[in-house]
Amino acid sequence: MPRWMTLAELLAYCRPFYPTWDDTLCRKLVDDFRLPLDQKIGRMSRGMRVKAALVSALAYRPRLLVLDEPFSGLDPVVRDDLIHGMLERAGEEQWSVLISSHDLDEVERLVDTVAFLDGGRIVLSEPMTALQGRFRQVEVTHSEAGPVPAADASWIGATSSGRVLRFVDTAYAGPASDERISMTFPGARIDVQPMSLRQIFIALARHRRGQFQGSPQ
């Protein structure tokens, strides 16, 4: 955005480019975000500039909104303002929002579908509920240290320390998986916990890194 323009000048400049520009929506977004129309963009805080950019992007009612690292450098209050303004409108207007971000805690709160990229390629793409439903952190505590039984193909990231074995089950299916784990580790104390999006990402990234390092050159 031109830093020498005021917000009013920026919006007036953008308006003629879009036949679908909605002045009523534009004014409401400016009011909701509490943005000063007469302030130069160059003198705004980063949070205010992000809000100003969002107003200029939403006022013409786009069918698809693409956001690249939208939360970087924003304080929690500004993040909430941005999220509510964006998602409320997207829900009302049936817009699609594509968010590209490393801020997994924020992403987890927002998205319906998640995709992981590695080397420019999509390595996983599925609904958030399905992803979190099939991933579990498993901790197995044996009565005494001993050899680790052969792992299931869906178990990744196994680490052991004394009598404790930890791994991630990537195909967890409720009682059936609980029974499979119990049969693999008879007599052991087993703790199965759901995982956050951040934990899932780290487990997958480390697993893929291990596969790459172990592959022939």
Side-chain angles (χ1 to χ4, degrees):
M1 297 181 292
R3 299 173 68 88
W4 55 269
M5 282 186 175
T6 64
L7 177 58
E9 290 169 337
L10 172 69
L11 298 176
Y13 173 77
C14 292
R15 183 181 297 111
F17 289 102
Y18 303 101
T20 56
W21 187 276
D22 187 329
D23 280 322
T24 301
L25 174 58
C26 182
R27 286 192 297 270
K28 187 174 190 316
L29 289 170
V30 169
D31 291 341
D32 288 348
F33 287 148
R34 299 182 295 278
L35 289 171
L37 287 168
D38 59 349
Q39 184 170 341
K40 290 185 180 296
I41 292 169
R43 302 186 67 178
M44 291 181 174
S45 67
R46 169 167 168 72
M48 292 173 67
R49 290 198 303 272
V50 171
K51 290 179 182 180
L54 191 61
V55 171
S56 67
L58 292 180
Y60 63 91
R61 298 181 177 276
R63 296 179 59 188
L64 172 65
L65 183 65
V66 180
L67 302 174
D68 183 21
E69 297 291 354
F71 313 115
S72 177
L74 301 182
D75 67 58
V77 174
V78 173
R79 288 187 185 203
D80 279 348
D81 288 345
L82 177 62
I83 289 167
H84 290 149
M86 174 180 62
L87 293 187
E88 285 177 8
R89 288 296 167 184
E92 292 173 5
E93 306 293 339
Q94 296 299 301
W95 298 330
S96 296
V97 182
L98 173 64
I99 301 173
S100 172
S101 178
H102 290 89
D103 193 336
L104 299 180
D105 294 331
E106 290 291 355
V107 168
E108 184 171 9
R109 296 197 301 139
L110 300 176
V111 302
D112 301 310
T113 300
V114 62
F116 290 153
L117 295 173
D118 186 11
R121 295 182 179 181
I122 295 177
V123 297
L124 177 150
S125 179
E126 62 185 278
M128 176 69 80
T129 53
L131 180 67
Q132 292 187 313
R134 71 179 180 88
F135 272 78
R136 289 294 185 274
Q137 179 72 55
V138 181
E139 182 176 284
V140 180
T141 304
H142 299 277
S143 57
E144 59 183 27
V148 177
D152 188 288
S154 63
W155 298 348
I156 65 173
T159 60
S160 60
S161 176
R163 296 183 295 111
V164 179
L165 170 69
R166 296 181 180 88
F167 62 88
V168 173
D169 187 347
T170 66
Y172 184 78
S177 294
D178 292 336
E179 182 178 358
R180 185 177 75 249
I181 296 169
S182 297
M183 291 178 63
T184 305
F185 306 100
R189 180 166 59 84
I190 297 169
D191 182 37
V192 179
Q193 295 293 331
M195 301 174 67
S196 68
L197 182 61
R198 175 181 293 277
Q199 291 172 318
I200 293 171
F201 173 78
I202 291 173
L204 287 173
R206 285 178 173 166
H207 178 64
R208 289 183 61 81
R209 184 186 302 166
Q211 286 181 320
F212 176 77
Q213 290 175 344
S215 64
Q217 299 298 314

